[in-house]
Amino acid sequence: MSAAWLAIDGLGLTEGATRIIDGVSLQLTAQRTVVLGPNGAGKSTLLRLIHGLLHPTGGSLRWPQTLSQAMVFQRPVMLRTTALANVIYGLKLMGYATAECEQRARQALARVGLEAIAKRPARLLSGGEQQRVALARAWALEPNC
């Protein structure tokens, strides 16, 4: 078995008197992992904790320092601009040059089959198309997990 690329020990999240996540411990060695469970079990909350979008009230998370990550939300947020510009935005935040941003964004949109609608307003796309724009935005960053 290879070394863990994510180690979680006793992870917890409490809001008021409600324990949302309680004592999750695991070590992941696979870069692609599926989190399954019934509605309301805390899957999305756990992923938000793992990706640093929420701060745990207990326990610890250890990622390798060289890890590049991305997360696609269940209900993606679309900026008030085109599908292409939505993908470019994350690349600009990471400091890529303008020409490279556009090239990577177009490649990512092609990867999800949306190159033909790159110039359409993202908020007017169907729910499935918005999910694919969000996936393209994550892939353009070339996460290694």
Side-chain angles (χ1 to χ4, degrees):
M1 184 182 250
S2 60
W5 62 269
L6 170 62
I8 298 174
D9 186 29
L11 192 67
L13 177 67
T14 302
E15 291 185 9
T18 305
R19 197 79 174 137
I20 308 295
I21 300 287
D22 190 20
V24 174
S25 295
L26 57 92
Q27 291 192 3
L28 298 179
T29 57
Q31 289 189 349
R32 287 175 183 82
T33 302
V34 176
V35 179
L36 295 173
N39 292 349
K43 302 175 299 292
S44 294
T45 302
L46 177 62
L47 290 173
R48 283 181 168 88
L49 285 164
I50 289 172
H51 287 276
L53 300 173
L54 293 174
H55 299 288
T57 54
S60 65
L61 289 145
R62 288 182 306 281
W63 289 98
Q65 290 181 335
T66 59
L67 185 69
S68 171
Q69 60 179 321
M71 181 175 171
V72 177
F73 291 94
Q74 198 168 345
R75 285 183 227 121
V77 175
M78 292 289 115
L79 303 172
R80 289 185 177 123
T81 187
T82 65
L84 179 64
N86 267 268
V87 179
I88 287 172
Y89 180 73
L91 294 164
K92 282 193 177 281
L93 288 178
M94 295 301 293
Y96 289 98
T98 301
E100 186 174 359
C101 287
E102 183 157 348
Q103 178 188 7
R104 281 174 167 248
R106 287 188 183 283
Q107 288 172 343
L109 285 171
R111 187 173 183 184
V112 297
L114 295 180
E115 64 274 25
I117 64 167
K119 295 294 184 180
R120 287 189 41 206
R123 289 188 172 187
L124 298 181
L125 300 176
S126 72
E129 289 169 330
Q130 287 184 10
Q131 280 280 13
R132 289 168 35 205
V133 168
L135 188 56
R137 188 167 43 202
W139 268 334
L141 297 171
E142 296 182 348
N144 56 9
C145 72

